[in-house]
Amino acid sequence: MPELPEVEALKDFLTENLVGHEIVRVLPVAISVLKTYDPPVTSVEGHEVTAVRRCGKFLDLATAEGPHLVTHLARAGWLQWKDRLPSGMPRPGKGPLALRVALETGAGFDLTEAGTQKRLAVYVVQDPQQVPGVARLGPDPLADDFDETRFAALLKDERRQIKGALRDQSLIAGVGNAYSDEILHVAKMSPFKLAAALTPQETARLYEALRTTLTEAVERSRGLAAGRLKAEKKSGLRVHGRTGEPCPVCGDTIREVSFSDSSLQYCPTCQTGGKPLADRRMSRLLK
């Protein structure tokens, strides 16, 4: 799933390639991708793109005197840029293509989604705050005003495990499954520690890990073409998706806890005092 660093890089890439150009055609190939119908998706046609913004994991394309095209790539969605779009109409139901946006130059991008769980979402709205997912977003963890005091205030009443708190978009915008694993590894913290139980020292350590992990990931992705971002994300991860591999810090074997629809990875030596976590939905540290 694209998270804050990848969406930030996509924002920069699209700013360079979209802003100042006119959208001449929007072709929804999978109707399920459209989450709004008024105004219609075609209402962005004939308008110049004036800005591209990131709201958490959402991409917002603003048009001159027109609506916003807001996209959430969900778990299996991606944006594929093409300097020259194929001619002709794409065929619905054939392949992963969900929506195509064409510019007056002949360039444009495709929104694609792999798999059968169709969660890729496109909204056409007059204001991004009309998108429910955008309206409920918490603060951006890389914003200038997101300091340690604000972070501590968010966590002090959270009676949840810290892994779940970090992933809650209404608490902190942009962090998903992969980077929450990475942040907790850098912070040397169990994913099942209660957020409200953090000491001031632990909160400071977690805040530093949050900011540095995301900042470094953004820097690694900066300037890359859209097609290279997935590979860059994977290569930069130290524990997430690396079950069975040695921890790059201590050499212990990276372990996994599986849930019904996701999994997390961690290093026992770095994060849980050497104790493995129980691999069940209501996991707790083994005594």
Side-chain angles (χ1 to χ4, degrees), residues 179-196:
Y179 285 108
S180 57
D181 282 353
E182 297 298 299
I183 291 163
L184 290 167
H185 180 253
V186 172
K188 300 185 180 299
M189 190 172 295
S190 168
F192 297 137
K193 189 174 184 65
L194 288 180

PDB file of all heavy atoms in Angstrom, residues 179-196:
ATOM      1  N   TYR A 179       5.215   1.361   7.315  1.00  0.00           N
ATOM      2  CA  TYR A 179       6.036   2.340   8.027  1.00  0.00           C
ATOM      3  C   TYR A 179       5.795   2.318   9.530  1.00  0.00           C
ATOM      4  O   TYR A 179       6.686   2.706  10.292  1.00  0.00           O
ATOM      5  CB  TYR A 179       5.837   3.731   7.435  1.00  0.00           C
ATOM      6  CG  TYR A 179       6.561   3.870   6.113  1.00  0.00           C
ATOM      7  CD1 TYR A 179       5.853   3.912   4.923  1.00  0.00           C
ATOM      8  CD2 TYR A 179       7.948   3.904   6.053  1.00  0.00           C
ATOM      9  CE1 TYR A 179       6.513   3.998   3.699  1.00  0.00           C
ATOM     10  CE2 TYR A 179       8.622   3.986   4.848  1.00  0.00           C
ATOM     11  CZ  TYR A 179       7.899   4.027   3.669  1.00  0.00           C
ATOM     12  OH  TYR A 179       8.553   4.090   2.473  1.00  0.00           O
ATOM     13  N   SER A 180       4.642   1.844   9.987  1.00  0.00           N
ATOM     14  CA  SER A 180       4.482   1.688  11.437  1.00  0.00           C
ATOM     15  C   SER A 180       5.427   0.606  11.954  1.00  0.00           C
ATOM     16  O   SER A 180       6.021   0.755  13.032  1.00  0.00           O
ATOM     17  CB  SER A 180       3.028   1.364  11.795  1.00  0.00           C
ATOM     18  OG  SER A 180       2.576   0.201  11.132  1.00  0.00           O
ATOM     19  N   ASP A 181       5.610  -0.480  11.192  1.00  0.00           N
ATOM     20  CA  ASP A 181       6.614  -1.484  11.572  1.00  0.00           C
ATOM     21  C   ASP A 181       8.005  -0.873  11.624  1.00  0.00           C
ATOM     22  O   ASP A 181       8.780  -1.121  12.561  1.00  0.00           O
ATOM     23  CB  ASP A 181       6.622  -2.635  10.558  1.00  0.00           C
ATOM     24  CG  ASP A 181       5.484  -3.624  10.749  1.00  0.00           C
ATOM     25  OD1 ASP A 181       4.753  -3.505  11.750  1.00  0.00           O
ATOM     26  OD2 ASP A 181       5.324  -4.503   9.888  1.00  0.00           O
ATOM     27  N   GLU A 182       8.338  -0.082  10.604  1.00  0.00           N
ATOM     28  CA  GLU A 182       9.666   0.519  10.538  1.00  0.00           C
ATOM     29  C   GLU A 182       9.896   1.500  11.688  1.00  0.00           C
ATOM     30  O   GLU A 182      10.964   1.528  12.306  1.00  0.00           O
ATOM     31  CB  GLU A 182       9.849   1.231   9.202  1.00  0.00           C
ATOM     32  CG  GLU A 182       9.782   0.318   7.997  1.00  0.00           C
ATOM     33  CD  GLU A 182      10.872  -0.734   8.004  1.00  0.00           C
ATOM     34  OE1 GLU A 182      12.052  -0.367   7.976  1.00  0.00           O
ATOM     35  OE2 GLU A 182      10.523  -1.937   8.049  1.00  0.00           O
ATOM     36  N   ILE A 183       8.905   2.326  11.976  1.00  0.00           N
ATOM     37  CA  ILE A 183       9.010   3.319  13.047  1.00  0.00           C
ATOM     38  C   ILE A 183       9.223   2.627  14.389  1.00  0.00           C
ATOM     39  O   ILE A 183      10.088   3.024  15.193  1.00  0.00           O
ATOM     40  CB  ILE A 183       7.751   4.204  13.072  1.00  0.00           C
ATOM     41  CG1 ILE A 183       7.722   5.108  11.830  1.00  0.00           C
ATOM     42  CG2 ILE A 183       7.677   5.033  14.351  1.00  0.00           C
ATOM     43  CD1 ILE A 183       6.354   5.704  11.543  1.00  0.00           C
ATOM     44  N   LEU A 184       8.463   1.575  14.652  1.00  0.00           N
ATOM     45  CA  LEU A 184       8.567   0.886  15.931  1.00  0.00           C
ATOM     46  C   LEU A 184       9.907   0.157  16.056  1.00  0.00           C
ATOM     47  O   LEU A 184      10.464   0.055  17.157  1.00  0.00           O
ATOM     48  CB  LEU A 184       7.399  -0.091  16.092  1.00  0.00           C
ATOM     49  CG  LEU A 184       6.046   0.599  16.306  1.00  0.00           C
ATOM     50  CD1 LEU A 184       4.909  -0.388  16.150  1.00  0.00           C
ATOM     51  CD2 LEU A 184       5.993   1.260  17.686  1.00  0.00           C
ATOM     52  N   HIS A 185      10.433  -0.325  14.950  1.00  0.00           N
ATOM     53  CA  HIS A 185      11.749  -0.954  14.998  1.00  0.00           C
ATOM     54  C   HIS A 185      12.825   0.072  15.335  1.00  0.00           C
ATOM     55  O   HIS A 185      13.708  -0.177  16.172  1.00  0.00           O
ATOM     56  CB  HIS A 185      12.054  -1.635  13.655  1.00  0.00           C
ATOM     57  CG  HIS A 185      13.381  -2.311  13.620  1.00  0.00           C
ATOM     58  ND1 HIS A 185      14.453  -1.817  12.910  1.00  0.00           N
ATOM     59  CD2 HIS A 185      13.834  -3.447  14.238  1.00  0.00           C
ATOM     60  CE1 HIS A 185      15.491  -2.617  13.065  1.00  0.00           C
ATOM     61  NE2 HIS A 185      15.153  -3.613  13.859  1.00  0.00           N
ATOM     62  N   VAL A 186      12.765   1.236  14.687  1.00  0.00           N
ATOM     63  CA  VAL A 186      13.732   2.298  14.981  1.00  0.00           C
ATOM     64  C   VAL A 186      13.619   2.748  16.438  1.00  0.00           C
ATOM     65  O   VAL A 186      14.620   3.015  17.108  1.00  0.00           O
ATOM     66  CB  VAL A 186      13.528   3.492  14.025  1.00  0.00           C
ATOM     67  CG1 VAL A 186      14.396   4.683  14.445  1.00  0.00           C
ATOM     68  CG2 VAL A 186      13.860   3.088  12.591  1.00  0.00           C
ATOM     69  N   ALA A 187      12.388   2.812  16.951  1.00  0.00           N
ATOM     70  CA  ALA A 187      12.150   3.243  18.328  1.00  0.00           C
ATOM     71  C   ALA A 187      12.446   2.155  19.355  1.00  0.00           C
ATOM     72  O   ALA A 187      12.379   2.403  20.560  1.00  0.00           O
ATOM     73  CB  ALA A 187      10.698   3.701  18.488  1.00  0.00           C
ATOM     74  N   LYS A 188      12.733   0.923  18.872  1.00  0.00           N
ATOM     75  CA  LYS A 188      12.996  -0.224  19.746  1.00  0.00           C
ATOM     76  C   LYS A 188      11.818  -0.468  20.691  1.00  0.00           C
ATOM     77  O   LYS A 188      11.974  -0.574  21.912  1.00  0.00           O
ATOM     78  CB  LYS A 188      14.297  -0.038  20.537  1.00  0.00           C
ATOM     79  CG  LYS A 188      15.534   0.125  19.652  1.00  0.00           C
ATOM     80  CD  LYS A 188      16.798   0.186  20.474  1.00  0.00           C
ATOM     81  CE  LYS A 188      18.031   0.352  19.587  1.00  0.00           C
ATOM     82  NZ  LYS A 188      18.201  -0.763  18.642  1.00  0.00           N
ATOM     83  N   MET A 189      10.631  -0.574  20.096  1.00  0.00           N
ATOM     84  CA  MET A 189       9.402  -0.639  20.878  1.00  0.00           C
ATOM     85  C   MET A 189       8.497  -1.758  20.375  1.00  0.00           C
ATOM     86  O   MET A 189       8.346  -1.955  19.168  1.00  0.00           O
ATOM     87  CB  MET A 189       8.669   0.708  20.781  1.00  0.00           C
ATOM     88  CG  MET A 189       7.506   0.863  21.722  1.00  0.00           C
ATOM     89  SD  MET A 189       6.891   2.567  21.662  1.00  0.00           S
ATOM     90  CE  MET A 189       8.305   3.458  22.333  1.00  0.00           C
ATOM     91  N   SER A 190       7.894  -2.497  21.297  1.00  0.00           N
ATOM     92  CA  SER A 190       6.952  -3.550  20.940  1.00  0.00           C
ATOM     93  C   SER A 190       5.719  -2.949  20.273  1.00  0.00           C
ATOM     94  O   SER A 190       5.179  -1.939  20.739  1.00  0.00           O
ATOM     95  CB  SER A 190       6.506  -4.319  22.184  1.00  0.00           C
ATOM     96  OG  SER A 190       5.396  -5.161  21.878  1.00  0.00           O
ATOM     97  N   PRO A 191       5.220  -3.570  19.200  1.00  0.00           N
ATOM     98  CA  PRO A 191       4.002  -3.058  18.563  1.00  0.00           C
ATOM     99  C   PRO A 191       2.768  -3.183  19.443  1.00  0.00           C
ATOM    100  O   PRO A 191       1.758  -2.524  19.190  1.00  0.00           O
ATOM    101  CB  PRO A 191       3.867  -3.930  17.310  1.00  0.00           C
ATOM    102  CG  PRO A 191       4.676  -5.153  17.588  1.00  0.00           C
ATOM    103  CD  PRO A 191       5.787  -4.718  18.470  1.00  0.00           C
ATOM    104  N   PHE A 192       2.850  -3.998  20.491  1.00  0.00           N
ATOM    105  CA  PHE A 192       1.694  -4.215  21.349  1.00  0.00           C
ATOM    106  C   PHE A 192       1.743  -3.432  22.657  1.00  0.00           C
ATOM    107  O   PHE A 192       0.902  -3.625  23.531  1.00  0.00           O
ATOM    108  CB  PHE A 192       1.517  -5.710  21.631  1.00  0.00           C
ATOM    109  CG  PHE A 192       1.230  -6.507  20.392  1.00  0.00           C
ATOM    110  CD1 PHE A 192       1.849  -7.723  20.187  1.00  0.00           C
ATOM    111  CD2 PHE A 192       0.365  -6.036  19.418  1.00  0.00           C
ATOM    112  CE1 PHE A 192       1.598  -8.454  19.041  1.00  0.00           C
ATOM    113  CE2 PHE A 192       0.105  -6.755  18.269  1.00  0.00           C
ATOM    114  CZ  PHE A 192       0.717  -7.975  18.079  1.00  0.00           C
ATOM    115  N   LYS A 193       2.696  -2.554  22.803  1.00  0.00           N
ATOM    116  CA  LYS A 193       2.742  -1.695  23.981  1.00  0.00           C
ATOM    117  C   LYS A 193       1.586  -0.709  23.919  1.00  0.00           C
ATOM    118  O   LYS A 193       1.265  -0.156  22.856  1.00  0.00           O
ATOM    119  CB  LYS A 193       4.065  -0.943  24.033  1.00  0.00           C
ATOM    120  CG  LYS A 193       4.309  -0.190  25.331  1.00  0.00           C
ATOM    121  CD  LYS A 193       5.708   0.395  25.349  1.00  0.00           C
ATOM    122  CE  LYS A 193       6.001   1.069  26.696  1.00  0.00           C
ATOM    123  NZ  LYS A 193       6.014   0.102  27.818  1.00  0.00           N
ATOM    124  N   LEU A 194       0.923  -0.457  25.053  1.00  0.00           N
ATOM    125  CA  LEU A 194      -0.196   0.487  25.068  1.00  0.00           C
ATOM    126  C   LEU A 194       0.309   1.915  24.860  1.00  0.00           C
ATOM    127  O   LEU A 194       1.264   2.350  25.506  1.00  0.00           O
ATOM    128  CB  LEU A 194      -0.953   0.396  26.388  1.00  0.00           C
ATOM    129  CG  LEU A 194      -1.797  -0.856  26.618  1.00  0.00           C
ATOM    130  CD1 LEU A 194      -2.485  -0.779  27.972  1.00  0.00           C
ATOM    131  CD2 LEU A 194      -2.828  -1.023  25.514  1.00  0.00           C
ATOM    132  N   ALA A 195      -0.365   2.626  23.976  1.00  0.00           N
ATOM    133  CA  ALA A 195       0.064   3.994  23.661  1.00  0.00           C
ATOM    134  C   ALA A 195       0.035   4.883  24.894  1.00  0.00           C
ATOM    135  O   ALA A 195       0.955   5.671  25.132  1.00  0.00           O
ATOM    136  CB  ALA A 195      -0.829   4.568  22.560  1.00  0.00           C
ATOM    137  N   ALA A 196      -1.023   4.766  25.690  1.00  0.00           N
ATOM    138  CA  ALA A 196      -1.159   5.628  26.860  1.00  0.00           C
ATOM    139  C   ALA A 196      -0.165   5.301  27.963  1.00  0.00           C
ATOM    140  O   ALA A 196       0.026   6.094  28.886  1.00  0.00           O
ATOM    141  CB  ALA A 196      -2.589   5.541  27.407  1.00  0.00           C
TER     142      ALA A 196
END
